[in-house]
Amino acid sequence: MRTRPTLSWTPAGEPLPRTTSLDDVVRLTGAGGVVVLSGAGLSTESGIPDYRGATGSLRRHTPMTYQEFVAAEHARRRYWARSHLGWRTIARARPNEGHRGVAALRAAGLVAGVITQNVDGLHQAAGTPDVVELHGSLDRVVCLSCGARSAREELDRRLREANPDFAATAGRINPDGDVELPETAVDGFRVVACLRCGGVLKPDVVFFGENVEPSRVDRCYRLVDTASALLVLGSSLTVMSGLRFVRRAAEAGTPVAIVNQGPTRGDKYAAVRVDLPLGRALAALVDRLGARPSRYR
């Protein structure tokens, strides 16, 4: 399946009613068997901005596309110089109340599975097991030639050794780990190759316009098909990679509940639309359901 390079979405017609009450979400989640689909909005309280919220990075920044990355050496140099700085901020981020809430609901047996569009690893850091990383993870690197995967920490070490005089300062960070840097700051930045075959290295994440692994998509469909309800947390559902699971659930008659600040592209498929900050909403949900908080790092 291919992630549509849709960078924005404008609601058409009158907005559908939204509420600040969690009553229906409590009822659906309390029955158990819920599958969570999370987006960038869940991580904003950890200091990682989203793409499309009130301060979303798409207002200033166009994410790297797969086609641009594979086609141009200068694009790869620009990406790695910027991501070299940005990844450190992502790596330092810690789970917030929202991540901990999902982990608590999973530990209590109320959430049957978690699909995330995020690439920051914060669900796992909060203690949630078996997270399906729909768009991959920034803590891994993959070779586009031989397919070898390696740790991002190892690449970080190699890039520091290859660029001992690189002294740029990170500007705004974006959800994909990219930061804003002037072109003059990336001139001369040295990109390193795969140690196994000399091929091009790429973060093990799905760029806009890139294929999502079919096996990963199938696993998500299986989770959605067996869910008692689909709970969307912090996603505008602008791109089809997440929206298709909402459509799938709605077509099967599975209730969809969306907790997000602002309207989403999936609102018309949802039985419940809650407009609340994610940390506060998840903490309240855990409290009302009596779920024990999970341990997290």
Side-chain angles (χ1 to χ4, degrees), residues 107-141:
L110 299 175
V111 166
V114 176
I115 303 165
T116 186
Q117 299 174 91
N118 299 339
V119 296
D120 51 38
L122 292 178
H123 275 302
Q124 295 92 323
T128 300
D130 303 322
V131 177
V132 182
E133 296 174 313
L134 185 62
H135 295 156
S137 177
L138 279 173
D139 68 0
R140 299 186 302 268
V141 179

Side-chain angles (χ1 to χ4, degrees), residues 17 44 112-113 181 185 224 260 278 292-293 297:
T44 56
L181 285 179
V224 171
N260 187 68
L278 271 296
R292 178 182 296 180
R297 77 179 187 192

